[in-house]
Amino acid sequence: MEVLRTENLTKEYGNGDNRVVALDHVSFSVEEGEFVTILGPSGSGKSTLLHLLGGVDRPTEGKVFIAGESIYDMKENKLTAFRRQKIGQVYQFYNLIPVLNVEENICLPVLLDHKKADRRFLGSLLKILKLEDRLTHLPSELSGGQQQRVAIGRAVINRPELILADEPTGNLDQKNSREIMGLFRKLNEVYGQTILLITHDRQIAKNSRRIIVIEDGKIVKEMRRQR
Ligand SMILES: Nc1ncnc2c1ncn2[C@@H]1O[C@H](COP(=O)(O)OP(=O)(O)O)[C@@H](O)[C@H]1O
Ligand SMILES: [Mg+2]
């Protein structure tokens, strides 16, 4: 089953002499259960692409389908709920809520839907994230690696169709980066979680079996490999 598809996705910023084509007719799709990396140098349009896939920005041209729905054809309030339920996002700088503890941060997307977290799933997730003994800690009481693990927990708690991760190891040392990448692989293998990750780092990209290379806003190459 197709989880994500883009059709001629294009984003231009500015106009006249300042016009930048950040993304230039990008078309690709991701199947359920895939772990895909978009690899490209700084300025190649990776963050622009991820913002468009996450429904936080609007394309100049083209479409994004997630779970079969054209997200930019949705009404604003429907898109907000859709994003929360179907898309999990992980950023370079964790973006945790400072006054909420670990458990509350992870469960936030569930609480916003006025639901209760599935305790069994939460328990299994906390074990994978190795956060079982940090539940009542605040983000300020955690290391960078631990904060990113909380952010990953928050992204996955709703069992979204798709996780989008923008340079998730960009702020971490090598040891923590390896650990975080190991976690993404595990979530993909244990829960069959579909993941789309972007990075400028070849080593990081090697954690996934499918790598799409982007340069100057265009897909220039695609590689499939054994990891
Ligand atoms: N808000 C913006 N206004 C104008 N230009 C932008 C904006 N955001 C990004 N760009 C430009 O679009 C191009 C792609 O940027 P970006 O998507 O951030 O690349 P990456 O994440 O791969 O480093 C760059 O040339 C950048 O300068
Ligand atoms: Mg970027």
Side-chain angles (χ1 to χ4, degrees):
M1 200 191 84
E2 196 176 72
V3 169
L4 167 71
R5 177 161 46 99
T6 73
E7 287 177 358
N8 292 318
L9 201 58
T10 299
K11 179 72 181 181
E12 296 176 7
Y13 294 110
N15 41 43
D17 286 349
N18 291 328
R19 185 166 159 269
V20 175
V21 184
L23 219 56
D24 194 358
H25 297 86
V26 167
S27 301
F28 70 102
S29 64
V30 174
E31 292 288 313
E32 187 176 3
E34 275 196 299
F35 180 1
V36 181
T37 299
I38 309 266
L39 173 67
S42 176
S44 56
K46 303 185 298 298
S47 293
T48 300
L49 173 61
L50 228 70
H51 291 152
L52 292 176
L53 301 182
V56 286
D57 202 357
R58 291 198 151 261
T60 310
E61 192 191 322
K63 284 185 186 282
V64 174
F65 295 87
I66 292 176
E69 295 222 48
S70 176
I71 63 171
Y72 291 105
D73 288 326
M74 276 182 208
K75 292 234 165 63
E76 199 60 45
N77 54 352
K78 187 180 169 202
L79 178 58
T80 304
F82 184 88
R83 285 176 54 201
R84 193 162 63 229
Q85 290 153 9
K86 312 266 181 178
I87 309 170
Q89 305 217 44
V90 181
Y91 308 92
Q92 182 173 347
F93 300 102
Y94 332 129
N95 295 351
L96 302 176
I97 311 277
V99 296
L100 298 184
N101 68 29
V102 166
E103 182 173 358
E104 291 162 344
N105 264 289
I106 291 178
C107 293
L108 189 61
V110 180
L111 300 176
L112 287 172
D113 278 332
H114 309 289
K115 292 193 183 128
K116 280 207 176 101
D118 174 344
R119 300 308 297 184
R120 259 239 316 266
F121 179 63
L122 180 63
S124 126
L125 184 59
L126 288 167
K127 210 161 159 182
I128 289 181
L129 297 171
K130 296 202 194 100
L131 287 170
E132 297 144 294
D133 56 353
R134 290 285 185 282
L135 285 183
T136 55
H137 283 59
L138 294 173
S140 60
E141 299 164 340
L142 301 173
S143 72
Q146 287 169 334
Q147 289 185 60
Q148 193 59 305
R149 295 197 321 250
V150 175
I152 291 171
R154 181 182 56 187
V156 85
I157 189 73
N158 263 337
R159 312 294 306 268
E161 308 284 323
L162 180 65
I163 285 192
L164 300 172
D166 189 348
E167 304 271 9
T169 60
N171 200 36
L172 299 173
D173 61 26
Q174 212 175 25
K175 178 175 168 284
N176 277 296
S177 295
R178 230 180 288 132
E179 205 170 298
I180 291 296
M181 291 313 299
L183 262 179
F184 279 113
R185 286 168 68 149
K186 211 161 178 180
L187 293 174
N188 177 245
E189 282 156 18
V190 175
Y191 301 131
Q193 177 64 57
T194 313
I195 299 170
L196 182 75
L197 183 145
I198 67 173
T199 183
H200 66 280
D201 184 330
R202 270 170 191 284
Q203 283 311 115
I204 295 290
K206 283 181 182 165
N207 283 284
S208 64
R209 291 200 188 93
R210 182 176 166 210
I211 301 174
I212 297 172
V213 182
I214 177 174
E215 277 170 26
D216 290 330
K218 293 191 187 78
I219 293 178
V220 293
K221 190 159 70 168
E222 178 164 342
M223 297 175 277
R224 286 178 192 264
R225 55 191 301 283
Q226 298 293 319
R227 57 186 175 195

XYZ file of all heavy atoms in Angstrom, residues 63-104:
352
model
N 1.206 18.179 -5.946
C 0.341 17.609 -4.920
C 1.095 16.662 -3.994
O 2.102 16.063 -4.384
C -0.805 16.837 -5.574
C -1.890 17.746 -6.142
C -3.060 16.918 -6.659
C -4.097 17.773 -7.361
N -4.984 18.512 -6.454
N 0.559 16.517 -2.786
C 1.059 15.541 -1.819
C -0.124 14.673 -1.389
O -1.137 15.200 -0.920
C 1.645 16.234 -0.557
C 2.031 15.185 0.487
C 2.835 17.107 -0.920
N 0.007 13.370 -1.565
C -1.017 12.429 -1.106
C -0.454 11.645 0.074
O 0.624 11.053 -0.036
C -1.395 11.442 -2.204
C -2.055 12.074 -3.394
C -1.299 12.590 -4.432
C -3.445 12.163 -3.452
C -1.905 13.174 -5.532
C -4.070 12.754 -4.547
C -3.294 13.267 -5.593
N -1.172 11.650 1.189
C -0.789 10.807 2.315
C -1.968 9.907 2.636
O -3.099 10.399 2.783
C -0.360 11.653 3.535
C 0.955 12.370 3.190
C -0.179 10.772 4.782
C 1.471 13.306 4.223
N -1.692 8.599 2.691
C -2.758 7.608 2.874
C -3.897 7.864 1.882
O -5.077 7.776 2.233
C -3.258 7.616 4.317
N -3.547 8.240 0.664
C -4.535 8.400 -0.400
C -5.217 9.752 -0.449
O -5.972 10.035 -1.379
N -4.972 10.602 0.543
C -5.650 11.900 0.575
C -4.732 13.025 0.123
O -3.595 13.120 0.570
C -6.126 12.204 2.000
C -7.186 11.225 2.468
C -8.297 11.929 3.220
O -8.797 12.961 2.721
O -8.636 11.441 4.299
N -5.258 13.879 -0.709
C -4.495 15.035 -1.189
C -4.527 16.105 -0.100
O -5.548 16.759 0.110
C -5.134 15.555 -2.477
O -4.468 16.726 -2.885
N -3.398 16.260 0.616
C -3.466 17.041 1.860
C -3.719 18.529 1.628
O -4.311 19.193 2.466
C -2.212 16.842 2.757
C -0.926 17.336 2.095
C -2.080 15.390 3.177
C 0.265 17.347 3.055
N -3.295 19.066 0.494
C -3.517 20.497 0.265
C -4.894 20.778 -0.342
O -5.225 21.929 -0.599
C -2.377 21.092 -0.550
C -1.110 21.115 0.277
C -0.085 20.201 0.052
C -0.994 22.001 1.337
C 1.051 20.197 0.857
C 0.134 22.009 2.149
C 1.151 21.105 1.904
O 2.254 21.095 2.702
N -5.679 19.738 -0.555
C -7.072 19.938 -0.941
C -7.995 19.831 0.269
O -9.215 19.922 0.147
C -7.485 18.908 -2.013
C -6.834 19.228 -3.358
O -6.645 20.431 -3.655
O -6.486 18.284 -4.097
N -7.417 19.627 1.462
C -8.236 19.503 2.675
C -8.491 20.873 3.285
O -7.671 21.771 3.162
C -7.465 18.708 3.736
C -7.557 17.245 3.625
S -6.606 16.572 5.015
C -6.142 15.038 4.272
N -9.593 20.972 4.021
C -9.854 22.197 4.787
C -8.850 22.274 5.934
O -8.405 21.254 6.454
C -11.281 22.163 5.349
C -12.350 22.262 4.277
C -13.317 23.411 4.594
C -14.158 23.791 3.396
N -15.048 22.687 2.954
N -8.533 23.493 6.331
C -7.481 23.735 7.329
C -7.673 22.924 8.619
O -6.740 22.286 9.092
C -7.431 25.233 7.645
C -6.141 25.699 8.282
C -4.903 25.449 7.407
O -4.954 25.724 6.184
O -3.903 24.962 7.954
N -8.893 22.918 9.181
C -9.073 22.213 10.464
C -9.006 20.695 10.309
O -8.548 19.990 11.194
C -10.346 22.654 11.197
C -11.573 22.521 10.336
O -11.459 22.235 9.133
N -12.746 22.719 10.914
N -9.405 20.212 9.135
C -9.273 18.781 8.886
C -7.795 18.406 8.757
O -7.339 17.389 9.289
C -10.029 18.373 7.614
C -10.049 16.868 7.440
C -10.777 16.375 6.216
C -10.485 14.889 6.011
N -10.697 14.463 4.639
N -7.040 19.267 8.086
C -5.608 19.015 7.899
C -4.870 18.979 9.248
O -3.999 18.145 9.461
C -4.996 20.079 6.976
C -3.488 19.980 6.721
C -3.115 18.637 6.116
C -3.010 21.100 5.791
N -5.258 19.872 10.163
C -4.611 19.911 11.476
C -4.767 18.573 12.201
O -3.786 18.011 12.709
C -5.213 21.047 12.337
O -5.074 22.271 11.600
C -4.500 21.184 13.664
N -5.977 18.043 12.237
C -6.212 16.754 12.894
C -5.545 15.617 12.121
O -4.947 14.713 12.712
C -7.714 16.504 13.025
N -5.617 15.688 10.808
C -5.005 14.668 9.945
C -3.500 14.576 10.206
O -2.942 13.491 10.356
C -5.276 15.024 8.481
C -4.787 14.005 7.479
C -5.601 12.944 7.090
C -3.516 14.116 6.917
C -5.150 12.015 6.154
C -3.062 13.185 5.985
C -3.889 12.131 5.610
N -2.859 15.753 10.266
C -1.412 15.781 10.525
C -1.081 15.127 11.854
O -0.141 14.355 11.958
C -0.921 17.235 10.575
C -0.830 17.896 9.225
C -0.437 19.344 9.382
N 0.793 19.473 10.162
C 1.157 20.583 10.784
N 0.405 21.649 10.737
N 2.284 20.630 11.438
N -1.869 15.459 12.878
C -1.595 14.936 14.223
C -1.754 13.419 14.269
O -1.026 12.726 14.947
C -2.540 15.615 15.205
C -2.166 15.405 16.647
C -2.835 16.419 17.531
N -4.281 16.296 17.483
C -5.121 17.303 17.298
N -4.672 18.525 17.122
N -6.419 17.103 17.270
N -2.730 12.908 13.521
C -3.029 11.480 13.597
C -2.203 10.646 12.619
O -1.888 9.487 12.907
C -4.527 11.253 13.340
C -5.379 11.756 14.489
C -6.779 12.155 14.057
O -7.179 11.914 12.917
N -7.523 12.762 14.955
N -1.884 11.190 11.480
C -1.276 10.371 10.425
C 0.204 10.628 10.196
O 0.853 9.852 9.509
C -2.003 10.612 9.088
C -3.508 10.560 9.176
C -4.015 9.192 8.836
C -5.526 9.172 8.919
N -6.114 7.917 8.574
N 0.709 11.755 10.719
C 2.100 12.102 10.459
C 2.810 12.389 11.777
O 2.341 13.193 12.576
C 2.212 13.371 9.575
C 1.338 13.246 8.323
C 3.672 13.624 9.186
C 1.223 14.540 7.534
N 3.929 11.693 12.009
C 4.762 11.998 13.176
C 5.995 12.735 12.708
O 6.579 12.370 11.693
N 6.372 13.791 13.416
C 7.518 14.577 12.952
C 8.617 14.624 14.007
O 8.349 14.808 15.190
C 7.080 16.001 12.604
C 5.950 16.009 11.586
C 6.076 17.150 10.590
O 7.152 17.420 10.073
N 4.973 17.815 10.315
N 9.844 14.476 13.543
C 11.018 14.574 14.423
C 11.972 15.591 13.801
O 12.266 15.516 12.605
C 11.739 13.215 14.558
C 12.932 13.331 15.499
C 10.779 12.134 15.051
N 12.417 16.539 14.611
C 13.286 17.610 14.107
C 14.673 17.520 14.722
O 14.904 16.785 15.661
C 12.687 18.978 14.453
C 11.258 19.149 14.049
C 10.235 18.854 14.933
C 10.936 19.589 12.772
C 8.905 19.008 14.564
C 9.619 19.757 12.396
C 8.604 19.465 13.295
O 7.303 19.617 12.935
N 15.563 18.357 14.189
C 16.930 18.399 14.723
C 16.935 18.859 16.186
O 17.646 18.317 17.017
C 17.751 19.357 13.864
C 19.193 19.453 14.287
C 20.013 20.280 13.305
O 19.566 20.586 12.197
N 21.196 20.634 13.704
N 16.113 19.878 16.487
C 16.067 20.406 17.848
C 14.772 19.985 18.523
O 13.836 20.748 18.611
C 16.235 21.927 17.847
C 17.535 22.367 17.244
C 17.581 22.870 15.958
C 18.723 22.229 17.951
C 18.796 23.258 15.395
C 19.934 22.608 17.395
C 19.976 23.121 16.115
N 14.684 18.763 18.892
C 13.673 18.083 19.707
C 12.285 18.730 19.804
O 11.293 18.043 19.706
C 14.240 17.811 21.102
C 15.750 17.648 21.103
C 16.575 18.359 21.967
C 16.374 16.795 20.171
C 17.959 18.219 21.940
C 17.758 16.656 20.141
C 18.539 17.371 21.018
O 19.884 17.249 20.981
N 12.227 20.075 20.068
C 10.935 20.768 20.186
C 9.991 20.129 21.203
O 8.804 19.944 20.925
C 10.213 20.849 18.828
C 10.966 21.701 17.829
O 11.934 22.360 18.196
N 10.544 21.694 16.587
N 10.512 19.803 22.382
C 9.656 19.284 23.446
C 9.026 20.443 24.208
O 9.504 21.571 24.142
C 10.475 18.421 24.413
C 11.191 17.228 23.777
C 12.050 16.505 24.803
C 10.187 16.272 23.131
N 7.918 20.147 24.928
C 7.283 21.187 25.750
C 7.995 21.179 27.113
O 7.938 20.179 27.833
C 5.770 20.885 25.948
C 5.089 20.570 24.615
C 5.096 22.023 26.708
C 4.641 21.716 23.788
N 8.665 22.296 27.468
C 9.543 22.291 28.646
C 8.839 21.994 29.963
O 9.454 21.434 30.863
C 10.134 23.707 28.674
C 9.607 24.432 27.506
C 8.671 23.565 26.744
N 7.548 22.366 30.087
C 6.850 22.183 31.368
C 6.177 20.813 31.482
O 5.605 20.482 32.517
C 5.791 23.290 31.620
C 6.468 24.648 31.742
C 4.747 23.308 30.506
N 6.234 20.031 30.426
C 5.648 18.682 30.485
C 6.762 17.657 30.702
O 7.863 17.803 30.174
C 4.908 18.356 29.181
C 3.716 19.242 28.812
C 3.047 18.716 27.544
C 2.708 19.324 29.953
N 6.460 16.605 31.474
C 7.467 15.575 31.714
C 7.529 14.601 30.533
O 6.809 14.755 29.537
C 7.235 14.869 33.060
C 5.960 14.026 33.086
O 5.523 13.515 32.058
N 5.382 13.876 34.271
N 8.394 13.611 30.646
C 8.640 12.689 29.537
C 7.352 12.002 29.073
O 7.018 12.008 27.883
C 9.704 11.631 29.957
C 9.728 10.465 28.974
C 11.079 12.292 30.044
N 6.624 11.444 30.030
C 5.396 10.730 29.651
C 4.377 11.672 29.004
O 3.750 11.342 27.995
C 4.785 10.043 30.881
C 3.535 9.257 30.523
C 2.985 8.419 31.673
O 3.600 8.406 32.757
O 1.938 7.776 31.459
N 4.250 12.872 29.585
C 3.276 13.842 29.045
C 3.676 14.311 27.644
O 2.819 14.484 26.776
C 3.158 15.043 29.994
C 2.499 14.691 31.310
C 2.756 15.713 32.426
O 3.685 16.552 32.293
O 2.047 15.650 33.439
